[in-house]
Amino acid sequence: MAYKLSADSTVEDNIRRILSEQLEKAVQQLSEEFQQTPGEAVHNARKHLKKVRSVLRLVRKSIDKDTYNREKNRLRDLGRSLSLARDSEVYQQTLNGLLDAYGLDLDTGEFSKLQASLGDLHQVRLKELTNGDTPIAAIVSDLKDSQGRLNQLSLQKTGWKALSANLKQIYSQGQTRYHIAYADGSDDAFHDWRKRVKDLWHITGLLKPLWPSVMTAFESEMDQLAQALGDGHDVAALRSFLLGSPTEIAIEAVHMQVLLPLMKHRQHRLHQQANELGHRLYCEDPAAFTHRIACYWQPWFVAAAASRAES
């Protein structure tokens, strides 16, 4: 089924189904797709794991605390096992995007050598997923174990009450971290905001059936915000990596002389874009935001119940 809530099932059944489907898709990427397109498979698997963690946050206050912490931390660690391979691919994509945004090409300042060495690094890290300390087969096995445990997940609350307190907290955290990001200005602060933005973006996808036209529009705006923050984070990650003088790549002083000003300007533009979106998307009081979504929930659920009764 699609990544969305269905009025034909209880919230508990919906949550178990969605968690299981996303974990199954992550397993499929890493077991069936990895051999053909390893980079894409890793990227897609990590996206599915992030959705699972967002769904867990949506029901955090409705499940056993130890269960939540165990599954959240395990999935976080599994995602990190894949992160080095994904990061090395992002370095290449970010460098290309940066040069393209400012009308440069790979031959400028011998950037082709830098890009080629980043490509070699990516291939090395992909091979480590097969032959390293945490092989892909072990990650797949752990994901299947998580899927089995989460198939038995039970909620301590029912209906909208199982979601509302957590939704309010997720929106509130995003709002708070939005203001902190622009007051602090650090890469870490913007990354913290980005994580909560992605939670709300994923959750909005689940809630689209409540009022498709409205929730789809909100999801689209959240997607744009997540993308702007993600692009900014990728620039920060590339800068941090290059400043670390990695021995694996062909980095020269001239590269940094050209790239550092471009990265600073690019991040500034992306943060401007994110600020405009954040101001609109996080302008509500968290309680008012949650109440508004609750007002969408009731008629959606009642209409679905009536439709089932008629059939």
Side-chain angles (χ1 to χ4, degrees):
M1 294 182 66
Y3 178 76
K4 61 182 180 181
L5 293 177
S6 169
D8 294 332
S9 303
T10 65
V11 168
E12 183 176 80
D13 287 343
N14 269 289
I15 295 299
R16 282 200 295 253
R17 170 183 61 80
I18 291 163
L19 292 172
S20 182
E21 287 174 351
Q22 292 303 309
L23 286 169
E24 184 64 33
K25 289 178 179 179
V27 166
Q28 180 181 3
Q29 288 294 322
L30 297 177
S31 58
E32 299 178 18
E33 306 297 332
F34 184 78
Q35 295 301 322
Q36 298 298 321
T37 54
E40 183 179 352
V42 167
H43 179 45
N44 289 335
R46 292 184 77 235
K47 289 196 293 185
H48 292 306
L49 293 184
K50 288 177 180 179
K51 284 185 176 181
V52 170
R53 292 172 64 195
S54 292
V55 173
L56 284 174
R57 289 191 181 96
L58 182 60
V59 294
R60 177 177 184 172
K61 296 183 179 181
S62 301
I63 61 178
D64 176 73
K65 183 178 179 180
D66 290 339
T67 298
Y68 171 78
N69 287 330
R70 181 188 68 236
E71 299 304 329
K72 176 204 67 171
N73 293 338
R74 189 63 189 133
L75 292 167
R76 178 201 61 202
D77 292 343
L78 290 173
R80 287 176 177 173
S81 298
L82 301 168
S83 63
L84 285 179
R86 174 57 186 164
D87 288 347
S88 57
E89 184 175 35
V90 169
Y91 298 153
Q92 299 176 74
Q93 295 171 348
T94 304
L95 178 61
N96 279 343
L98 192 66
L99 297 176
D100 184 63
Y102 292 95
L104 302 175
D105 59 53
L106 285 176
D107 291 328
T108 303
E110 297 186 346
F111 280 113
S112 58
K113 293 181 180 179
L114 174 58
Q115 181 70 316
S117 62
L118 287 173
D120 292 341
L121 174 64
H122 179 51
Q123 293 305 313
V124 168
R125 290 185 173 181
L126 285 175
K127 289 180 181 178
E128 288 174 350
L129 285 175
T130 303
N131 306 316
D133 295 334
T134 309
I136 204 77
I139 296 173
V140 168
S141 178
D142 284 345
L143 286 175
K144 289 180 178 179
D145 289 343
S146 290
Q147 183 182 22
R149 290 191 299 269
L150 289 173
N151 281 340
Q152 307 301 316
L153 186 71
S154 61
L155 303 186
Q156 298 164 353
K157 299 177 183 178
T158 61
W160 178 246
K161 290 181 180 180
L163 311 178
S164 57
N166 308 282
L167 179 61
K168 178 182 176 183
Q169 182 179 56
I170 289 167
Y171 185 86
S172 178
Q173 288 174 340
Q175 188 179 69
T176 298
R177 293 185 185 188
Y178 161 50
H179 295 299
I180 290 175
Y182 287 94
D184 182 286
S186 69
D187 292 335
D188 286 344
F190 276 97
H191 184 45
D192 285 342
W193 181 32
R194 175 188 175 230
K195 289 187 287 187
R196 298 292 77 82
V197 166
K198 295 197 81 168
D199 279 338
L200 187 57
W201 172 43
H202 291 149
I203 288 165
T204 303
L206 291 181
L207 300 175
K208 277 200 294 187
L210 274 60
W211 192 350
S213 59
V214 171
M215 297 305 290
T216 297
F218 187 77
E219 182 193 34
S220 177
E221 295 296 304
M222 290 300 304
D223 184 14
Q224 290 185 48
L225 175 55
Q227 186 64 54
L229 291 172
D231 289 347
H233 172 69
D234 291 345
V235 171
L238 176 62
R239 178 176 57 229
S240 178
F241 177 70
L242 295 178
L243 287 174
S245 300
T247 58
E248 309 100 316
I249 62 168
I251 182 70
E252 300 176 9
V254 66
H255 295 142
M256 300 308 292
Q257 291 171 3
V258 173
L259 290 176
L260 285 176
L262 299 186
M263 288 190 274
K264 181 178 180 180
H265 184 262
R266 179 65 175 153
Q267 269 194 307
H268 175 70
R269 293 291 300 273
L270 289 166
H271 289 168
Q272 281 185 319
Q273 179 184 350
N275 191 21
E276 294 172 3
L277 289 164
H279 182 74
R280 292 195 295 266
L281 294 168
Y282 285 101
C283 66
E284 294 182 81
D285 177 82
F289 171 80
T290 309
H291 177 72
R292 178 166 62 83
I293 305 302
C295 291
Y296 304 163
W297 176 279
Q298 185 63 21
W300 169 71
F301 188 80
V302 169
S307 177
R308 289 196 301 272
E310 290 175 359
S311 61

